[in-house]
Amino acid sequence: MFILWLILGSLSVLYGGFILAARSGTRFFLVWFALGAACFLLAVLAKKHVWKKLPRGLKVTCGVLIGLGLTLFFVVEGIIVSHFKERGEQDLDYIIVLGAQVRESGPSLVLRYRLDAACEYLMENKDTVCIVTGAKGYNEPVSEAEGMKRYLVEKGIDEARILMEEKATSTMENLLFSQELLDKETDRVGIVTNDFHLFRAMSLARHQGYRHVCGIAAGSRPAYQLNNMLREFLGVMKDLVMGNLL
């Protein structure tokens, strides 16, 4: 077990460094460093045979808790994956493109995936109105909504079809403030976001009272998917605890 924990710890730290180098705009890479440190600690404990010295009852309790935790993790991840291929419905009244980081060079890779999916949908559904949502972060040159609008216009989408919401700083606020631009009771609405993020976004929308909502899944870069999936699991757990999903 010593070697196994040592390998897992090293891989976690290396992957965290890879995520850091990607400049995603968040500090989630620290989670990978923390996981690496935990694995190194377990390696030390394994080296000293601490597990064998623990009382049997404590071992059973730890085993049950670990088993329940892993079961919860894989169930939630399975639900997230089940939404990866959603393509929405035709002729929606609105689509909402959820915000992500905008850089000096334009939308980040994650956001470009969302915008390209939105652009494809808007090209095929000429009467659908697009809402782009997101405030200006401390490390962004313009609001996320403004950056998204510019990108869509450059791709050939009529500016008159694009509405901006520039106050939101989270997924929950993206959906909350977008309600000021539509009727959540009667309008048919599509949520455009990356595949790994769609389950939580849809759950938040339904919790907020969107009556006729569907998902439009954008792609994501495979190299970052492990990070995305872990982050989404923690996001789902946080929103469950906060009462945002049920």
Side-chain angles (χ1 to χ4, degrees), residues 216-236:
I216 301 173
S220 54
R221 188 171 176 180
Y224 301 135
Q225 201 67 301
L226 186 61
N227 182 71
N228 296 334
M229 295 298 284
L230 177 59
R231 186 179 178 190
E232 274 306 296
F233 171 77
L234 296 177
V236 169

Side-chain angles (χ1 to χ4, degrees), residues 105-177:
S105 58
S108 60
L109 179 61
V110 165
L111 188 52
R112 289 203 306 274
Y113 276 117
R114 299 180 188 183
L115 291 168
D116 289 341
C119 186
E120 181 180 351
Y121 184 90
L122 292 168
M123 290 290 191
E124 295 175 355
N125 299 271
K126 300 297 185 181
D127 294 325
T128 301
V129 175
C130 179
I131 297 174
V132 289
T133 169
K136 180 181 181 298
Y138 75 94
N139 58 348
E140 295 176 306
V142 296
S143 72
E144 293 171 1
E146 177 64 32
M148 288 192 278
K149 181 177 180 179
R150 292 179 184 178
Y151 185 91
L152 290 173
V153 170
E154 289 175 0
K155 291 291 184 179
I157 303 302
D158 186 351
E159 186 174 354
R161 298 176 66 193
I162 305 172
L163 304 178
M164 292 197 301
E165 182 290 302
E166 298 182 278
K167 297 182 295 183
T169 60
S170 66
T171 299
M172 188 163 65
E173 289 184 354
N174 287 151
L175 297 165
L176 181 64
F177 297 147

Side-chain angles (χ1 to χ4, degrees), residues 21-228:
R23 298 190 303 116
S24 65
T26 75
R27 294 185 174 87
F28 195 78
F29 63 87
L30 293 173
V31 171
W32 292 103
F33 292 158
L35 286 173
C39 288
F40 291 143
L41 175 60
L42 289 171
V44 172
L45 295 178
K47 186 76 171 178
K48 295 181 178 295
H49 305 290
V50 171
W51 178 259
K52 294 180 180 180
K53 301 175 184 177
L54 294 177
R56 184 174 182 278
L58 183 56
K59 289 181 182 179
V60 172
T61 301
C62 289
V64 170
L65 291 175
I66 292 171
L68 290 174
L70 288 173
T71 299
L72 176 63
F73 177 79
F74 285 113
V75 167
V76 172
E77 294 291 7
I79 295 172
I80 291 172
V81 170
S82 71
H83 289 72
F84 270 30
K85 300 300 182 182
E86 292 196 12
R87 291 295 176 263
E89 302 170 4
Q90 296 299 304
D91 300 316
L92 294 168
D93 297 304
Y94 294 89
I95 60 172
I96 300 174
V97 187
L98 303 183
Q101 189 182 32
V102 173
R103 298 172 177 163
E104 291 288 348
S105 58
S108 60
L109 179 61
V110 165
L111 188 52
R112 289 203 306 274
Y113 276 117
R114 299 180 188 183
L115 291 168
D116 289 341
C119 186
E120 181 180 351
Y121 184 90
L122 292 168
M123 290 290 191
E124 295 175 355
N125 299 271
K126 300 297 185 181
D127 294 325
T128 301
V129 175
C130 179
I131 297 174
V132 289
T133 169
K136 180 181 181 298
Y138 75 94
N139 58 348
E140 295 176 306
V142 296
S143 72
E144 293 171 1
E146 177 64 32
M148 288 192 278
K149 181 177 180 179
R150 292 179 184 178
Y151 185 91
L152 290 173
V153 170
E154 289 175 0
K155 291 291 184 179
I157 303 302
D158 186 351
E159 186 174 354
R161 298 176 66 193
I162 305 172
L163 304 178
M164 292 197 301
E165 182 290 302
E166 298 182 278
K167 297 182 295 183
T169 60
S170 66
T171 299
M172 188 163 65
E173 289 184 354
N174 287 151
L175 297 165
L176 181 64
F177 297 147
S178 291
Q179 295 175 29
E180 300 171 7
L181 303 173
L182 53 78
D183 187 335
K184 67 180 182 181
E185 297 288 336
T186 59
D187 287 328
R188 297 169 60 240
V189 181
I191 308 298
V192 184
T193 190
N194 304 92
D195 46 19
F196 60 84
H197 188 229
L198 194 57
F199 164 67
R200 184 156 62 100
M202 292 286 294
S203 299
L204 289 169
R206 293 190 177 108
H207 181 74
Q208 290 186 20
Y210 283 77
R211 295 289 299 276
H212 309 284
V213 66
C214 60
I216 301 173
S220 54
R221 188 171 176 180
Y224 301 135
Q225 201 67 301
L226 186 61
N227 182 71
N228 296 334

